[in-house]
Amino acid sequence: MPQIVWSVRPDGQFEYFNRRWYELTGVPHGEIGEESWLPQTHPDDRDACVQALTEAMRTGEPLQVEHRIRVRATGKYRWHLARARPVLNEEGAVIRWYGTCTDIEDQKIVEQALRDARSDLERRVAERTVELSSAVVALQQEIDERVAIEKALRSSEERFGRAFHSSPDPMSIVGQAGSRLIEVNERWEAMFGFSRQEAIGQTMTELDLFGGVEDREAWDRRLEIRGPAPEFELDMRTREGSRRRAVMVAETVEMAGSPVSSSSSAT
């Protein structure tokens, strides 16, 4: 047989080993006492083997224990699974135990590799979890910061809107590209006679608000200036055609990534 086979008397004394045992361990053929088999067992496994055999003898229950056996050819130990069952007589008394030792070294190697792989996986999962947790915290902080910034911007826009529409001076916001009106306040509507709906999207030229060509050219030159522009005077014309002399104050700012000019006029 390719595996070790042995037998034990009811008192626990070994009485037989097959040829595989002697070939594997190098024990002289015929030696079967405890002094011959126990030294072939790894020192760390000897107590477990003796206890398992003793317990089986006491209870009559099948024996099963893993232990390492020294291999004569290599001088190293290989894992084996020892199993034994009792043989009973007609009265039910144990008359002999028959057992085997099966080489499980390869299985042990695979099990250890699986344990190592599992430990490595758990370690990497733990590390990744920490990384993801840190990323989540960082992302939440970024979200909180953006929410705070957006809230501040909305608050700033609301304050600007209230100031813009409640200003006692006519005010308008004009896009530099195309010079079209983006927003006007109520005072501007009252001064020039155009409603907000009529004015937005139109140019001041299309609304015929300039008193003359020189006034339009002066206005266009001011739109080309980035930042605050110097005050200047020009003639303006209302919807009804009446003329007014106005002092214009303009400043170019960024709005949604595009330059616009905010201007106010006093007559």
Side-chain angles (χ1 to χ4, degrees):
M1 294 183 65
Q3 63 186 151
I4 298 169
V5 179
W6 46 272
S7 66
V8 179
R9 297 198 301 261
D11 60 2
Q13 294 300 312
F14 280 82
E15 62 177 9
Y16 172 79
F17 282 105
N18 72 340
R19 181 165 40 184
R20 179 59 182 159
W21 163 261
Y22 296 110
E23 291 174 346
L24 182 72
T25 63
V27 173
H29 187 78
E31 289 189 10
I32 56 177
E34 183 176 300
E35 67 279 359
S36 66
W37 71 265
L38 194 58
Q40 308 308 314
T41 302
H42 194 285
D44 293 344
D45 303 332
R46 292 172 187 172
D47 288 344
C49 289
V50 172
Q51 290 175 8
L53 182 60
T54 301
E55 185 67 13
M57 298 295 109
R58 185 184 69 82
T59 64
E61 295 295 326
L63 175 147
Q64 179 169 309
V65 62
E66 293 181 357
H67 64 114
R68 285 161 287 183
I69 298 176
R70 184 179 181 276
V71 179
R72 179 188 60 178
T74 63
K76 297 180 180 180
Y77 290 89
R78 290 183 67 86
W79 280 100
H80 285 72
L81 173 62
R83 289 175 172 171
R85 286 182 175 275
V87 177
L88 310 179
N89 60 17
E90 294 179 356
E91 288 75 27
V94 176
I95 59 174
R96 186 173 285 104
W97 289 79
Y98 284 108
T100 60
C101 291
T102 304
D103 191 311
I104 59 170
E105 179 70 18
D106 293 341
Q107 177 182 329
K108 283 289 189 178
I109 292 174
V110 171
E111 290 176 354
Q112 185 60 49
L114 290 174
R115 284 193 293 269
D116 292 343
R118 180 175 180 177
S119 297
D120 182 62
L121 178 61
E122 291 176 347
R123 176 186 57 79
R124 286 187 290 159
V125 169
E127 292 175 352
R128 186 58 177 160
T129 300
V130 172
E131 292 175 0
L132 289 175
S133 297
S134 300
V136 169
V137 171
L139 179 60
Q140 187 60 52
Q141 291 176 344
E142 182 177 349
I143 291 173
D144 293 341
E145 290 175 0
R146 290 192 177 188
V147 169
I149 291 172
E150 290 175 1
K151 184 178 180 180
L153 286 174
R154 286 195 299 269
S155 177
S156 176
E157 290 171 357
E158 290 172 359
R159 289 195 298 271
F160 171 79
R162 288 195 295 269
F164 180 84
H165 288 287
S166 62
S167 173
D169 295 323
M171 297 188 68
S172 63
I173 299 175
V174 181
Q176 280 197 323
S179 302
R180 297 192 178 277
L181 288 162
I182 297 173
E183 186 61 280
V184 296
N185 67 353
E186 289 79 358
R187 189 72 184 90
W188 187 97
E189 293 178 281
M191 175 177 175
F192 292 104
F194 290 95
S195 68
R196 178 176 179 275
Q197 289 75 16
E198 292 173 320
I200 291 177
Q202 302 294 316
T203 67
M204 296 177 71
T205 300
E206 291 171 342
L207 295 176
D208 197 23
L209 298 183
F210 295 110
V213 175
E214 293 181 357
D215 299 304
R216 179 179 59 77
E217 292 175 347
W219 168 257
D220 290 340
R221 286 194 297 272
R222 293 308 189 278
L223 287 184
E224 295 174 357
I225 300 174
R226 291 298 181 95
E231 291 184 2
F232 64 102
E233 294 185 5
L234 74 166
D235 288 328
M236 304 293 291
R237 185 159 39 201
T238 67
R239 184 172 194 166
E240 290 75 19
S242 61
R243 290 177 174 271
R244 294 193 177 186
R245 189 67 175 172
V247 177
M248 301 293 294
V249 178
E251 181 172 355
T252 301
V253 296
E254 291 285 333
M255 180 178 290
S258 300
V260 298
S261 292
S262 174
S263 66
S264 64
S265 57
T267 58

Coordinates of all heavy atoms in Angstrom, one line a residue, residues 160 164 170-185 188 192 199-207 209-210 216 218-227 232 234 236 248-265:
F160 N -25.6 91.8 -3.9 CA -25.4 92.6 -5.1 C -26.7 92.9 -5.8 O -26.9 94.0 -6.2 CB -24.4 91.9 -6.0 CG -24.3 92.6 -7.3 CD1 -23.5 93.7 -7.5 CD2 -25.0 92.1 -8.5 CE1 -23.4 94.4 -8.7 CE2 -24.9 92.8 -9.7 CZ -24.1 93.9 -9.8
F164 N -28.0 96.4 -6.4 CA -28.2 96.9 -7.8 C -29.6 97.4 -8.1 O -29.7 98.5 -8.7 CB -27.9 95.7 -8.7 CG -28.0 95.9 -10.2 CD1 -26.9 96.5 -10.9 CD2 -29.2 95.6 -10.9 CE1 -27.1 96.8 -12.3 CE2 -29.3 95.9 -12.2 CZ -28.2 96.5 -12.9
P170 N -29.3 105.2 -12.1 CA -29.6 104.2 -13.2 C -28.3 103.3 -13.3 O -27.2 103.8 -13.5 CB -29.8 105.1 -14.4 CG -30.2 106.4 -13.8 CD -29.4 106.6 -12.6
M171 N -28.5 102.0 -13.3 CA -27.4 101.1 -13.5 C -27.7 100.0 -14.5 O -28.9 99.6 -14.7 CB -27.1 100.4 -12.1 CG -26.6 101.4 -11.0 SD -26.1 100.5 -9.5 CE -24.6 99.7 -10.2
S172 N -26.7 99.6 -15.2 CA -26.8 98.5 -16.2 C -25.6 97.6 -16.2 O -24.5 98.1 -15.8 CB -27.0 99.1 -17.6 OG -25.9 99.9 -18.0
I173 N -25.8 96.4 -16.7 CA -24.6 95.5 -16.9 C -24.6 95.1 -18.4 O -25.6 94.7 -18.9 CB -24.8 94.2 -16.0 CG1 -24.8 94.6 -14.5 CG2 -23.7 93.2 -16.3 CD1 -25.1 93.4 -13.6
V174 N -23.5 95.3 -19.0 CA -23.4 95.1 -20.4 C -22.2 94.1 -20.7 O -21.2 94.2 -20.2 CB -23.0 96.5 -21.1 CG1 -22.9 96.3 -22.7 CG2 -24.1 97.5 -20.8
G175 N -22.5 93.1 -21.6 CA -21.5 92.2 -22.0 C -20.5 92.9 -22.9 O -20.9 93.6 -23.9
Q176 N -19.2 92.7 -22.7 CA -18.2 93.3 -23.6 C -18.3 92.7 -25.0 O -18.1 93.4 -26.0 CB -16.8 93.1 -23.0 CG -16.5 94.1 -21.9 CD -15.0 94.1 -21.7 OE1 -14.3 93.1 -21.7 NE2 -14.5 95.3 -21.3
A177 N -18.6 91.4 -25.1 CA -18.8 90.8 -26.4 C -20.1 91.2 -27.0 O -21.1 90.6 -26.5 CB -18.6 89.3 -26.3
G178 N -20.2 92.1 -27.9 CA -21.5 92.5 -28.5 C -22.1 93.7 -27.9 O -23.0 94.2 -28.4
S179 N -21.6 94.1 -26.7 CA -22.1 95.2 -26.0 C -23.6 95.2 -25.7 O -24.3 96.2 -25.8 CB -21.8 96.5 -26.8 OG -20.4 96.6 -26.9
R180 N -24.2 94.0 -25.5 CA -25.6 93.9 -25.2 C -25.9 93.9 -23.7 O -25.1 93.5 -22.9 CB -26.1 92.5 -25.8 CG -25.9 92.5 -27.3 CD -26.7 91.3 -27.9 NE -26.5 91.4 -29.4 CZ -27.3 92.1 -30.2 NH1 -28.2 92.9 -29.7 NH2 -27.0 92.1 -31.5
L181 N -27.1 94.5 -23.5 CA -27.5 94.7 -22.1 C -27.8 93.3 -21.5 O -28.6 92.5 -22.0 CB -28.7 95.6 -22.0 CG -28.4 97.1 -22.3 CD1 -29.7 97.9 -22.6 CD2 -27.7 97.7 -21.1
I182 N -27.3 93.1 -20.3 CA -27.6 91.8 -19.5 C -28.6 92.1 -18.4 O -29.4 91.2 -18.1 CB -26.2 91.2 -19.0 CG1 -25.3 90.9 -20.2 CG2 -26.5 90.0 -18.1 CD1 -23.9 90.4 -19.7
E183 N -28.5 93.2 -17.8 CA -29.4 93.6 -16.7 C -29.4 95.1 -16.5 O -28.5 95.8 -16.8 CB -28.8 92.9 -15.4 CG -29.8 93.1 -14.2 CD -31.1 92.4 -14.4 OE1 -32.0 93.0 -15.1 OE2 -31.3 91.3 -13.9
V184 N -30.6 95.5 -16.1 CA -30.8 97.0 -15.8 C -31.6 97.0 -14.5 O -32.4 96.1 -14.2 CB -31.5 97.7 -17.0 CG1 -30.7 97.7 -18.2 CG2 -32.9 97.1 -17.2
N185 N -31.5 98.2 -13.8 CA -32.3 98.3 -12.6 C -33.5 99.2 -12.8 O -33.7 99.7 -13.9 CB -31.4 98.8 -11.4 CG -31.0 100.2 -11.6 OD1 -31.2 100.8 -12.7 ND2 -30.4 100.8 -10.6
W188 N -32.9 102.7 -14.0 CA -32.5 102.8 -15.4 C -33.8 102.8 -16.2 O -33.9 103.5 -17.2 CB -31.6 101.6 -15.7 CG -31.0 101.7 -17.1 CD1 -29.7 102.2 -17.4 CD2 -31.6 101.3 -18.3 NE1 -29.5 102.1 -18.8 CE2 -30.7 101.5 -19.4 CE3 -32.8 100.7 -18.7 CZ2 -30.9 101.2 -20.7 CZ3 -33.1 100.5 -20.0 CH2 -32.1 100.7 -21.0
F192 N -34.7 105.9 -18.8 CA -34.7 105.8 -20.3 C -36.0 105.4 -20.9 O -36.2 105.5 -22.1 CB -33.6 104.8 -20.7 CG -32.2 105.3 -20.5 CD1 -31.5 104.8 -19.4 CD2 -31.6 106.3 -21.2 CE1 -30.2 105.2 -19.1 CE2 -30.3 106.7 -21.0 CZ -29.6 106.2 -19.9
A199 N -35.2 95.9 -22.8 CA -33.8 96.3 -22.9 C -32.9 95.2 -23.0 O -31.9 95.2 -23.7 CB -33.5 97.2 -21.7
I200 N -33.1 94.1 -22.2 CA -32.2 93.0 -22.1 C -32.0 92.3 -23.4 O -33.0 92.0 -24.1 CB -32.6 92.0 -21.0 CG1 -32.5 92.6 -19.6 CG2 -31.8 90.7 -21.1 CD1 -32.9 91.7 -18.5
G201 N -30.8 92.1 -23.8 CA -30.5 91.5 -25.1 C -30.2 92.5 -26.2 O -29.8 92.1 -27.3
Q202 N -30.6 93.8 -26.0 CA -30.4 94.8 -27.0 C -29.1 95.6 -26.7 O -28.6 95.6 -25.5 CB -31.6 95.8 -27.0 CG -32.9 95.2 -27.2 CD -33.0 94.6 -28.6 OE1 -32.6 95.3 -29.6 NE2 -33.6 93.4 -28.7
T203 N -28.6 96.3 -27.7 CA -27.4 97.2 -27.4 C -28.0 98.5 -27.2 O -29.1 98.9 -27.6 CB -26.5 97.2 -28.6 OG1 -27.1 97.7 -29.8 CG2 -26.0 95.8 -29.0
M204 N -27.2 99.4 -26.6 CA -27.6 100.8 -26.4 C -27.7 101.5 -27.7 O -28.5 102.4 -27.8 CB -26.6 101.4 -25.4 CG -26.6 100.8 -24.0 SD -25.4 101.5 -22.9 CE -26.1 103.1 -22.6
T205 N -27.0 101.1 -28.7 CA -27.1 101.7 -30.0 C -28.4 101.3 -30.6 O -29.1 102.2 -31.2 CB -25.9 101.2 -30.9 OG1 -24.7 101.6 -30.3 CG2 -26.1 101.8 -32.3
E206 N -28.8 100.0 -30.5 CA -30.1 99.6 -31.1 C -31.3 100.3 -30.4 O -32.3 100.5 -31.0 CB -30.2 98.1 -30.9 CG -29.3 97.3 -31.8 CD -29.3 95.8 -31.5 OE1 -29.7 95.4 -30.4 OE2 -28.8 95.0 -32.3
L207 N -31.1 100.6 -29.1 CA -32.1 101.4 -28.4 C -32.0 102.9 -28.6 O -32.9 103.6 -28.1 CB -32.0 101.1 -26.9 CG -32.3 99.6 -26.4 CD1 -32.0 99.5 -24.9 CD2 -33.7 99.2 -26.8
L209 N -29.8 105.1 -27.6 CA -29.7 105.8 -26.3 C -28.6 106.9 -26.3 O -28.5 107.7 -25.4 CB -29.4 104.8 -25.2 CG -30.5 103.8 -24.9 CD1 -30.1 102.9 -23.7 CD2 -31.8 104.5 -24.6
F210 N -27.7 106.9 -27.4 CA -26.6 107.8 -27.4 C -27.1 109.1 -28.1 O -27.8 109.1 -29.1 CB -25.4 107.3 -28.1 CG -24.8 106.1 -27.4 CD1 -24.9 104.8 -28.0 CD2 -24.1 106.2 -26.2 CE1 -24.4 103.7 -27.3 CE2 -23.6 105.2 -25.6 CZ -23.7 103.9 -26.1
R216 N -21.3 107.6 -28.5 CA -21.3 106.1 -28.7 C -19.8 105.7 -28.7 O -19.5 104.7 -28.1 CB -22.0 105.7 -29.9 CG -21.9 104.2 -30.2 CD -22.7 103.8 -31.4 NE -22.1 104.5 -32.6 CZ -20.9 104.1 -33.2 NH1 -20.3 103.1 -32.7 NH2 -20.5 104.8 -34.3
A218 N -17.2 107.2 -27.4 CA -16.6 107.3 -26.0 C -17.1 106.2 -25.2 O -16.3 105.6 -24.4 CB -17.1 108.7 -25.4
W219 N -18.3 105.7 -25.3 CA -18.8 104.6 -24.5 C -18.1 103.3 -24.9 O -17.6 102.5 -24.1 CB -20.3 104.5 -24.8 CG -20.9 103.2 -24.2 CD1 -21.2 102.1 -25.0 CD2 -21.2 102.8 -22.9 NE1 -21.7 101.1 -24.2 CE2 -21.7 101.5 -22.9 CE3 -21.0 103.5 -21.7 CZ2 -22.1 100.9 -21.7 CZ3 -21.4 102.9 -20.5 CH2 -21.9 101.6 -20.5
D220 N -17.9 103.1 -26.2 CA -17.2 101.9 -26.7 C -15.8 101.8 -26.2 O -15.2 100.8 -25.8 CB -17.2 101.8 -28.2 CG -18.6 101.6 -28.8 OD1 -19.5 101.1 -28.0 OD2 -18.9 101.8 -29.9
R221 N -15.1 103.0 -26.1 CA -13.7 103.0 -25.6 C -13.7 102.7 -24.2 O -12.7 102.0 -23.7 CB -13.1 104.4 -25.9 CG -12.8 104.7 -27.3 CD -11.8 106.0 -27.4 NE -12.5 107.2 -26.9 CZ -13.3 108.0 -27.7 NH1 -13.4 107.7 -29.0 NH2 -13.8 109.1 -27.2
R222 N -14.6 103.1 -23.4 CA -14.7 102.7 -22.0 C -14.9 101.2 -21.8 O -14.3 100.6 -20.9 CB -15.8 103.5 -21.3 CG -15.6 105.0 -21.2 CD -14.2 105.4 -20.6 NE -14.1 106.8 -20.3 CZ -13.7 107.7 -21.2 NH1 -13.6 107.4 -22.5 NH2 -13.6 109.0 -20.8
L223 N -15.6 100.6 -22.7 CA -15.9 99.1 -22.5 C -14.6 98.3 -22.8 O -14.5 97.2 -22.3 CB -17.0 98.7 -23.5 CG -18.4 99.1 -23.3 CD1 -19.3 98.5 -24.3 CD2 -18.8 98.7 -21.9
E224 N -13.7 98.9 -23.5 CA -12.4 98.1 -23.8 C -11.5 98.1 -22.6 O -10.5 97.4 -22.6 CB -11.7 98.7 -25.0 CG -12.5 98.6 -26.3 CD -11.9 99.3 -27.4 OE1 -10.9 100.0 -27.2 OE2 -12.4 99.2 -28.6
I225 N -11.7 99.0 -21.6 CA -10.9 99.1 -20.4 C -11.2 98.0 -19.4 O -12.4 97.9 -19.1 CB -11.0 100.5 -19.8 CG1 -10.6 101.6 -20.8 CG2 -10.1 100.6 -18.5 CD1 -10.8 103.0 -20.3
R226 N -10.2 97.3 -19.0 CA -10.4 96.3 -17.9 C -10.3 96.9 -16.6 O -9.4 97.7 -16.3 CB -9.4 95.1 -18.0 CG -9.6 94.2 -19.3 CD -10.9 93.5 -19.2 NE -11.2 92.7 -20.4 CZ -10.9 91.4 -20.3 NH1 -10.4 90.8 -19.3 NH2 -11.1 90.6 -21.4
G227 N -11.2 96.6 -15.7 CA -11.2 97.2 -14.4 C -11.9 98.6 -14.4 O -12.7 98.9 -15.3
F232 N -16.7 109.8 -17.2 CA -16.8 110.7 -18.4 C -18.3 111.1 -18.6 O -19.2 110.5 -18.1 CB -16.3 109.9 -19.6 CG -17.1 108.7 -20.0 CD1 -18.0 108.8 -21.0 CD2 -17.0 107.5 -19.3 CE1 -18.8 107.7 -21.4 CE2 -17.7 106.4 -19.6 CZ -18.6 106.4 -20.7
L234 N -21.4 112.3 -21.2 CA -21.9 112.1 -22.6 C -23.3 112.5 -22.6 O -24.0 112.5 -21.5 CB -21.6 110.7 -23.1 CG -22.5 109.6 -22.5 CD1 -22.3 108.3 -23.4 CD2 -22.2 109.2 -21.1
M236 N -27.1 111.5 -23.5 CA -27.9 110.3 -23.6 C -29.3 110.8 -24.1 O -29.7 111.9 -24.0 CB -28.0 109.6 -22.3 CG -26.7 109.2 -21.7 SD -25.9 107.9 -22.6 CE -26.9 106.5 -22.4
M248 N -21.0 109.1 -16.5 CA -21.0 107.7 -16.5 C -19.8 107.2 -15.7 O -18.7 107.7 -15.8 CB -20.9 107.2 -17.9 CG -22.0 107.6 -18.9 SD -23.6 106.9 -18.4 CE -23.3 105.2 -18.7
V249 N -20.1 106.2 -14.9 CA -19.0 105.4 -14.1 C -19.1 104.0 -14.6 O -20.2 103.4 -14.4 CB -19.2 105.6 -12.6 CG1 -18.1 104.8 -11.9 CG2 -19.2 107.1 -12.2
A250 N -18.0 103.4 -15.0 CA -18.1 102.0 -15.5 C -16.9 101.2 -14.9 O -15.8 101.8 -14.6 CB -18.0 101.9 -17.0
E251 N -17.1 99.9 -14.8 CA -16.0 99.0 -14.4 C -16.3 97.6 -15.0 O -17.4 97.1 -15.0 CB -16.0 98.8 -12.8 CG -14.9 97.9 -12.3 CD -14.8 97.9 -10.8 OE1 -15.5 98.7 -10.2 OE2 -14.0 97.1 -10.3
T252 N -15.2 97.0 -15.5 CA -15.3 95.7 -16.1 C -14.9 94.6 -15.1 O -13.9 94.7 -14.4 CB -14.3 95.6 -17.3 OG1 -14.6 96.6 -18.3 CG2 -14.4 94.2 -18.0
V253 N -15.8 93.6 -15.0 CA -15.6 92.5 -14.1 C -15.8 91.2 -14.8 O -16.4 91.2 -15.9 CB -16.5 92.6 -12.8 CG1 -16.2 93.9 -12.0 CG2 -18.0 92.6 -13.3
E254 N -15.5 90.1 -14.1 CA -15.8 88.7 -14.7 C -17.1 88.2 -14.1 O -17.4 88.3 -12.9 CB -14.7 87.7 -14.3 CG -13.3 88.0 -15.0 CD -13.3 87.6 -16.4 OE1 -14.1 86.7 -16.8 OE2 -12.5 88.2 -17.2
M255 N -18.0 87.7 -15.0 CA -19.2 87.1 -14.6 C -19.4 85.9 -15.4 O -19.5 85.9 -16.6 CB -20.4 88.1 -14.8 CG -21.8 87.6 -14.4 SD -23.1 88.8 -14.7 CE -22.7 90.0 -13.4
A256 N -19.4 84.7 -14.7 CA -19.6 83.4 -15.3 C -18.5 83.2 -16.3 O -18.7 82.6 -17.4 CB -20.9 83.2 -15.9
G257 N -17.3 83.7 -16.0 CA -16.1 83.5 -16.9 C -16.0 84.5 -18.1 O -15.1 84.4 -18.9
S258 N -17.0 85.4 -18.2 CA -17.0 86.4 -19.3 C -16.9 87.8 -18.8 O -17.5 88.1 -17.7 CB -18.2 86.2 -20.2 OG -18.3 84.9 -20.7
P259 N -16.1 88.7 -19.4 CA -16.0 90.1 -19.0 C -17.3 90.8 -19.2 O -17.9 90.7 -20.3 CB -14.9 90.6 -19.8 CG -14.8 89.8 -21.0 CD -15.3 88.4 -20.6
V260 N -17.8 91.6 -18.3 CA -19.0 92.4 -18.4 C -18.6 93.8 -17.8 O -17.8 93.9 -16.9 CB -20.2 91.8 -17.7 CG1 -20.6 90.5 -18.4 CG2 -20.0 91.6 -16.2
S261 N -19.3 94.8 -18.2 CA -19.2 96.1 -17.7 C -20.4 96.5 -16.9 O -21.5 96.4 -17.4 CB -18.9 97.1 -18.8 OG -17.6 96.9 -19.4
S262 N -20.2 97.0 -15.7 CA -21.2 97.5 -14.9 C -21.1 99.0 -14.9 O -20.0 99.6 -14.6 CB -21.1 97.0 -13.4 OG -22.0 97.6 -12.6
S263 N -22.2 99.7 -15.2 CA -22.1 101.1 -15.3 C -23.3 101.8 -14.6 O -24.3 101.2 -14.5 CB -22.1 101.5 -16.8 OG -23.4 101.2 -17.4
S264 N -23.0 103.0 -14.1 CA -24.1 103.8 -13.5 C -24.0 105.2 -14.1 O -22.9 105.6 -14.5 CB -24.0 103.8 -12.0 OG -22.8 104.5 -11.6
S265 N -25.1 105.8 -14.1 CA -25.1 107.2 -14.7 C -25.9 108.1 -13.8 O -26.8 107.7 -13.1 CB -25.7 107.2 -16.1 OG -27.0 106.6 -16.1

